[in-house]
Amino acid sequence: MNVEALHITLQQSFCPDASLRDPAEERIRNLKHVKGSTVLLLQVAAEKQVQYEVRQAAAIQLKNICRECWVERVSVLGYPISDSSSTSGDAPKPAVLNTEDKDIVRTGLVEALMAEHEKSVRDLLAETLHSIAIHDFPDRWPALVPTLLNTISQSNDPAKALAVHNALLALRKVCKRYEYKSKDQRGPLNEIVAKSFPLLLPLAQRLVDPNQHSLEAAMMLKQILKIFWSSTQFYLPGGDGTNPSPALQNPDALQPWFDVLCAALIKPLPEASTGIEPRGQPESVEERNAWPWWKVKKWSVQIMSRLFSRYGIPTYAEEEVQDFAKHFSQNVATQLLGPICETLNLRPTG
């Protein structure tokens, strides 16, 4: 199969004519057994000249194949899981992608994601990256985070805004890989925090500037807050069981991040009719919930809520974070309560 044949197959998969659609769907189901199919799917998904629906279909199939066939799937008892898509009576060995295809997909996926402007395709590529990172990061994909951080470091260049946002999205997917891991399994996440936070904090501080109003800024800031959430919601960043978190050694280390949270939450969002920046706030509740600047506020208050629940009452905090909890309750809690109360007061005042 070549790119042209794959393109036609994907087009025919949503054709109303069943005589064309059914064979196309069967060929798509068998793509995981075709060497090089993931490379071709990535090429189609990344090609901007291709019809949007075809690109989206290619991205969906790429995500599904990488999630299912990147490594051999086994049951909880350690036995291989048979290929459930087989229409024959036997149970063939499930398909596993070869090393050459994996190498090409890892490199091409990051390049495609950095340049993708369509949200649905971008999100599908990001989910594909997350699926691969579960198995390959960091041992078989050591270049992933340095590549993303190199892109994020170019945030001062307006022409790189899309790539920076997409790199932040990808970095969040990598951090999410370790979000629920126990403390002794968070080593790679601690390394990511140590390398990325010095880049992310100045960027976040620029994005919460009162004169920053673009939706692109809100989208970047949202991703930074999600990275912070994934890195801190269960443990303070940097603690590895042997060396304590820098925040435990110096409770003031997180103060700049607390300032970012407050600035994001108190940012005025005037009605669109006023013509005041940031402009274009939707009128319906559903559209407002999806508006990037309200998303920023949502993540800010979600992080604050988690901080209060874990450190707001020192007597309930874990022993190793008692000192930080005391610092938080005495010095930070009141700082965060002000913006929270101001936001809650917006409802009765309209």
Side-chain angles (χ1 to χ4, degrees):
M1 179 176 285
N2 55 33
V3 173
E4 291 77 12
L6 177 60
H7 183 275
I8 294 173
T9 297
L10 291 169
Q11 277 187 319
Q12 292 177 342
S13 68
F14 42 82
C15 177
D17 186 348
S19 65
L20 295 176
R21 185 181 66 250
D22 293 345
E25 291 176 345
E26 180 63 24
R27 290 195 294 273
I28 289 174
R29 280 193 292 269
N30 291 325
L31 281 176
K32 60 186 175 182
H33 299 289
V34 178
K35 182 180 179 181
S37 63
T38 51
V39 178
L40 297 178
L41 285 168
L42 180 57
Q43 290 177 10
V44 174
E47 178 52 62
K48 305 299 188 295
Q49 301 303 316
V50 172
Q51 180 184 354
Y52 167 73
E53 289 79 7
V54 174
R55 295 182 62 217
Q56 187 177 47
I60 290 172
Q61 295 306 318
L62 176 66
K63 175 181 71 73
N64 292 342
I65 292 176
C66 287
R67 183 174 56 188
E68 180 181 346
C69 305
W70 199 260
V71 297
E72 184 177 16
R73 294 182 299 159
V74 296
S75 67
V76 293
L77 298 178
Y79 297 107
I81 299 176
S82 61
D83 188 351
S84 60
S85 66
S86 174
T87 57
S88 59
D90 55 359
K93 185 177 180 180
V96 178
L97 300 180
N98 64 63
T99 301
E100 181 182 355
D101 285 356
K102 289 181 181 180
D103 291 340
I104 297 174
V105 168
R106 276 192 294 259
T107 301
L109 178 62
V110 175
E111 294 175 357
L113 178 55
M114 294 305 98
E116 185 53 58
H117 63 279
E118 290 286 354
K119 183 180 185 303
S120 62
V121 177
R122 179 173 66 220
D123 289 347
L124 288 165
L125 295 178
E127 282 302 317
T128 304
L129 183 144
H130 179 248
S131 296
I132 298 173
I134 290 174
H135 302 294
D136 284 11
F137 181 81
D139 295 338
R140 289 183 291 276
W141 207 354
L144 175 58
V145 169
T147 300
L148 299 179
L149 295 183
N150 180 62
T151 301
I152 295 170
S153 69
Q154 303 173 51
S155 60
N156 286 320
D157 183 356
K160 298 290 186 179
L162 174 65
V164 171
H165 170 268
N166 293 355
L168 291 169
L169 171 63
L171 184 61
R172 200 273 166 143
K173 294 297 182 181
V174 179
C175 292
K176 192 174 181 180
R177 155 90 172 85
Y178 299 94
E179 186 170 336
Y180 298 102
K181 295 293 185 182
S182 61
K183 189 180 301 184
D184 58 352
Q185 295 179 307
R186 292 166 66 91
L189 178 59
N190 294 330
E191 292 183 16
I192 292 173
V193 168
K195 294 176 181 177
S196 67
F197 274 32
L199 273 176
L200 299 182
L201 178 58
L203 177 56
Q205 290 170 328
R206 293 208 315 269
L207 296 174
V208 296
D209 184 275
N211 296 317
Q212 184 62 261
H213 303 299
S214 70
L215 293 183
E216 291 79 6
M219 293 169 65
M220 288 186 202
L221 183 55
K222 181 188 74 171
Q223 294 301 334
I224 293 175
L225 294 179
K226 292 171 76 171
I227 291 169
F228 187 84
W229 165 265
S230 292
S231 303
T232 63
Q233 71 155 318
F234 291 115
Y235 301 99
L236 292 173
D240 57 9
T242 302
N243 300 311
S245 163
L248 297 182
Q249 295 175 319
N250 177 18
D252 288 326
L254 287 179
Q255 185 57 48
W257 285 101
F258 299 148
D259 294 337
V260 167
L261 296 176
C262 291
L265 192 55
I266 64 174
K267 183 179 182 66
L269 299 180
E271 296 293 338
S273 58
T274 65
I276 302 174
E277 296 283 4
R279 301 179 183 181
Q281 178 172 191
E283 294 185 2
S284 72
V285 174
E286 293 77 11
E287 290 177 324
R288 289 193 181 195
N289 287 338
W291 202 48
W293 280 115
W294 278 113
K295 285 281 191 178
V296 165
K297 288 180 179 286
K298 171 232 174 180
W299 280 101
S300 297
V301 78
Q302 181 168 313
I303 293 170
M304 290 180 183
S305 176
R306 178 51 59 93
L307 291 169
F308 275 111
S309 67
R310 291 189 64 83
Y311 311 113
I313 305 178
T315 54
Y316 292 163
E318 298 176 357
E319 182 177 354
E320 65 175 6
V321 298
Q322 285 282 329
D323 290 340
F324 178 83
K326 291 177 182 177
H327 171 83
F328 179 86
S329 63
Q330 295 171 4
N331 301 284
V332 181
T334 52
Q335 174 192 357
L336 301 185
L337 278 174
I340 291 174
C341 291
E342 288 183 27
T343 302
L344 291 174
N345 193 49
L346 292 176
R347 178 174 289 275
T349 59

